[in-house]
Amino acid sequence: MKEEQKLQVSAIKNGTVIDHIPAKNLFKVIKILGLIKMDKQVTFGTNLDSKKLGKKAIIKLSDKYFQDNEINRLILVAPEARLNIIKDYHVVEKKQVEVPDQIKGISKCVNPKCITNHENVIPKFEVISKKDVALKCLYCEKITDQDNIEIIL
Amino acid sequence: MKNKSLVSIEDYGKEGILKILELAKYFENNPNQKILDGKVIASLFFEPSTRTRLSFESAINKLGGRIIGFTDASSSSVSKGESLKDTIKTVSKYSDLIVMRHPLEGSAKFASEVSDVPIINAGDGANQHPTQTLLDMYSISKTQEKLEDLNIFLVGDLKYGRTVHSLIMAMSHFNPVFNFISHPKLKIPQEYKLFLDNLGIKYYEHTEFTDIISKADIIYMTRVQRERFSDPMEYEKTKNVYVLNNAMLENTKENLRILHPLPRVNEISEDVDENSKAYYFTQALNGVYTRQAIISSTLGLI
């Protein structure tokens, strides 16, 4: 069994492994991290079994390391994601997404009558729930919940 | 300068509210004070609101200030496609304070971020209308001679009515009991109930408008708007259920006063107008004193 799991996605020598991504949000993660434009080797697996998430996805990036603020952008789509920093086939550091109290950009406000959807204003939110992420717009005060999050870049 | 704007009722805590009410009382006793002499106040109404605009203009005139501005967006550069940001940036160079009414929610907050002078929010869509809330608070404190421990009945459209929501937030500092009376479709939103639960404030929900009002210190009536109902029949039925008439006031408390943010349609019968418990027209007058207080406080003139 263990052997089988190991084979699901092949190992990398140096880089970052992002684990515990909800399978349905894999492509959102790819978009948010800008992996489409990356010229390094990227491997990903999806619909892998996970006790925690049901179906999870995993991304392996060769020779790529992230800043914390880049990673924290994943809170809306993969709040439980774990990062393993790999050097010479060994995990040298583990990181996880930290939910900040406020976020700027990333999602649109759900309210069509909000000023941020009409003027050139970057949406800003207070994070009012960290588990099932819910965002309160700092402009119109309406709440955007996880089901209504629309990613902007 | 920027952070002195009044965008949301939450910008003023308990102390801030009490300070404005005290100032409003001062202006009621001394309405004509030329403390805005030499000041230019911009009044930007991106959508028409005659009552609010006239109340502000009256307040500014009584204080000896000058007014520039427009009364609806069609007569402004907005009709040429100018952004709100550019309008505010420009007007803030011409004026000492901007009073703004705008149909989009969050517009006042955004304006306060880009303006060089303070912004007073005179209504941003369905979001906030803090000067209305402060004049409601002034009316309550004046008629009851206190704000603490009052039994407040809110009637009508409790779901969409921004005046109701802001009043709940503001009164929550003063240990009230709330009674909510509305059609099931226009019930008070869950988030406000949670807010009250967290503070341990008691509230009761009713769908029938009956003699339970005998316990009320304040009845705050609101208009049920036609556009809230997809079925016009249902609107017609509802709008005639939540109507206050003079006979219903028979067994009510002596100190009861009836408030309404106006305009009313039919939710208060005209036979209530002559009852000494009807307070809504005086409430509108209180708006002038309250806005005098807010403007002079925002400019740090008093």
Side-chain angles (χ1 to χ4, degrees):
Chain A
M1 188 67 194
K2 273 210 153 159
E3 198 55 32
E4 215 172 289
Q5 266 184 346
K6 264 188 185 168
L7 290 173
Q8 282 186 319
V9 182
S10 63
I12 54 172
K13 187 178 179 198
N14 293 304
T16 306
V17 175
I18 309 172
D19 200 356
H20 298 291
I21 299 165
K24 65 178 166 63
N25 287 340
L26 171 65
F27 290 94
K28 286 182 182 164
V29 170
I30 290 172
K31 194 174 167 191
I32 291 172
L33 294 179
L35 303 185
I36 294 161
K37 292 181 213 135
M38 231 181 62
D39 55 1
K40 304 274 168 38
Q41 221 178 66
V42 184
T43 340
F44 64 85
T46 187
N47 293 327
L48 309 174
D49 293 327
S50 161
K51 275 187 196 139
K52 230 189 199 166
L53 301 167
K55 294 280 180 194
K56 70 167 183 180
I58 189 167
I59 302 176
K60 299 195 176 197
L61 299 129
S62 292
D63 305 314
K64 171 75 188 170
Y65 304 96
F66 293 97
Q67 302 294 323
D68 286 351
N69 59 357
E70 290 177 275
I71 289 308
N72 291 345
R73 291 169 63 86
L74 296 180
I75 60 151
L76 302 182
V77 294
E80 295 183 73
R82 296 279 185 284
L83 275 82
N84 292 321
I85 316 302
I86 313 283
K87 292 209 169 131
D88 201 19
Y89 296 107
H90 288 287
V91 176
V92 294
E93 196 186 343
K94 287 176 184 272
K95 282 185 186 179
Q96 62 188 65
V97 177
E98 276 174 41
V99 183
D101 296 328
Q102 283 200 3
I103 66 162
K104 200 173 169 184
I106 309 179
S107 175
K108 271 177 69 170
C109 175
V110 73
N111 176 11
K113 285 192 72 186
C114 178
I115 187 75
T116 58
N117 290 317
H118 294 265
E119 287 257 333
N120 188 17
V121 194
I122 298 169
K124 282 188 285 197
F125 302 93
E126 181 193 346
V127 180
I128 55 167
S129 166
K130 295 195 175 188
K131 187 148 193 301
D132 293 313
V133 173
L135 308 172
K136 184 177 178 184
C137 177
L138 291 180
Y139 291 96
C140 75
E141 304 179 20
K142 295 284 178 296
I143 291 162
T144 301
D145 60 24
Q146 201 137 25
D147 298 335
N148 290 307
I149 282 164
E150 195 178 321
I151 302 297
I152 48 173
L153 294 171
Chain B
M1 208 51 162
K2 283 183 179 176
N3 55 13
K4 292 193 78 178
S5 294
L6 174 57
V7 168
S8 161
I9 191 64
E10 288 170 75
D11 293 347
Y12 286 175
K14 184 175 180 176
E15 294 309 311
I17 291 170
L18 291 173
K19 184 188 159 207
I20 293 297
L21 302 193
E22 200 176 302
L23 276 175
K25 191 173 171 190
Y26 167 77
F27 282 112
E28 177 159 10
N29 296 325
N30 314 273
N32 295 304
Q33 304 260 341
K34 300 298 166 201
I35 58 174
L36 285 185
D37 192 28
K39 299 283 185 203
V40 174
I41 311 296
S43 163
L44 308 185
F45 278 66
F46 292 88
E47 66 177 4
S49 171
T50 311
R51 190 180 319 274
T52 303
R53 181 171 59 82
L54 294 182
S55 174
F56 267 108
E57 290 185 1
S58 174
I60 295 162
N61 277 301
K62 281 179 198 282
L63 295 175
R66 300 287 187 126
I67 301 164
I68 58 168
F70 48 82
T71 58
D72 70 86
S74 65
S75 59
S76 77
S77 49
V78 179
S79 60
K80 297 174 189 160
E82 187 180 51
S83 68
L84 176 61
K85 181 180 173 182
D86 287 9
T87 305
I88 295 296
K89 280 235 172 257
T90 313
V91 174
S92 72
K93 302 288 183 222
Y94 303 153
S95 57
D96 299 290
L97 175 85
I98 296 174
V99 174
M100 184 179 102
R101 168 78 156 224
H102 197 284
L104 292 175
E105 291 148 28
S107 53
K109 166 91 174 163
F110 175 58
S112 75
E113 290 177 348
V114 298
S115 175
D116 298 330
V117 299
I119 302 280
I120 293 179
N121 183 4
D124 59 329
N127 186 32
Q128 285 274 344
H129 192 3
T131 64
Q132 175 71 45
T133 308
L134 288 161
L135 81 87
D136 293 342
M137 299 288 284
Y138 182 56
S139 300
I140 293 170
S141 94
K142 205 170 117 182
T143 59
Q144 306 299 318
E145 292 171 349
K146 63 171 187 174
L147 282 168
E148 302 280 344
D149 311 320
L150 294 171
N151 195 336
I152 298 177
F153 281 62
L154 297 146
V155 186
D157 181 354
L158 308 185
K159 185 172 180 186
Y160 300 101
R162 65 179 172 196
T163 57
V164 167
H165 303 158
S166 301
L167 189 59
I168 291 171
M169 308 293 274
M171 281 307 294
S172 69
H173 297 295
F174 302 98
N175 190 38
V177 173
F178 288 112
N179 279 274
F180 301 127
I181 304 179
S182 73
H183 184 275
K185 283 207 170 152
L186 297 175
K187 270 169 54 175
I188 192 84
Q190 189 64 22
E191 58 187 287
Y192 292 97
K193 291 198 263 179
L194 283 175
F195 171 77
L196 294 174
D197 287 339
N198 285 338
L199 293 173
I201 293 172
K202 282 193 187 137
Y203 59 87
Y204 305 93
E205 293 186 272
H206 318 272
T207 51
E208 284 181 39
F209 197 12
T210 59
D211 55 5
I212 49 167
I213 60 170
S214 64
K215 294 186 223 149
D217 298 308
I218 291 288
I219 298 179
Y220 194 94
M221 297 293 298
T222 60
R223 183 163 53 106
V224 173
Q225 295 183 40
R226 184 185 298 270
E227 57 268 31
R228 303 299 180 209
F229 288 86
S230 47
D231 179 359
M233 286 277 287
E234 198 165 12
Y235 166 70
E236 290 300 325
K237 276 190 244 158
T238 308
K239 82 167 194 204
N240 296 323
V241 174
Y242 301 94
V243 173
L244 183 68
N245 62 49
N246 202 31
M248 293 165 74
L249 295 172
E250 209 161 293
N251 293 317
T252 53
K253 288 169 80 170
E254 206 45 51
N255 64 311
L256 167 70
R257 291 295 177 272
I258 299 147
L259 305 187
H260 191 303
L262 304 180
R264 93 173 134 179
V265 184
N266 74 328
E267 58 279 3
I268 303 177
S269 304
E270 286 196 29
D271 65 4
V272 177
D273 296 359
E274 302 312 314
N275 193 310
S276 59
K277 292 172 183 173
Y279 195 73
Y280 26 94
F281 294 116
T282 316
Q283 183 188 358
L285 170 64
N286 289 340
V288 176
Y289 308 132
T290 311
R291 289 176 174 121
Q292 285 183 292
I294 294 164
I295 292 167
S296 35
S297 164
T298 301
L299 285 172
L301 296 171
I302 203 155

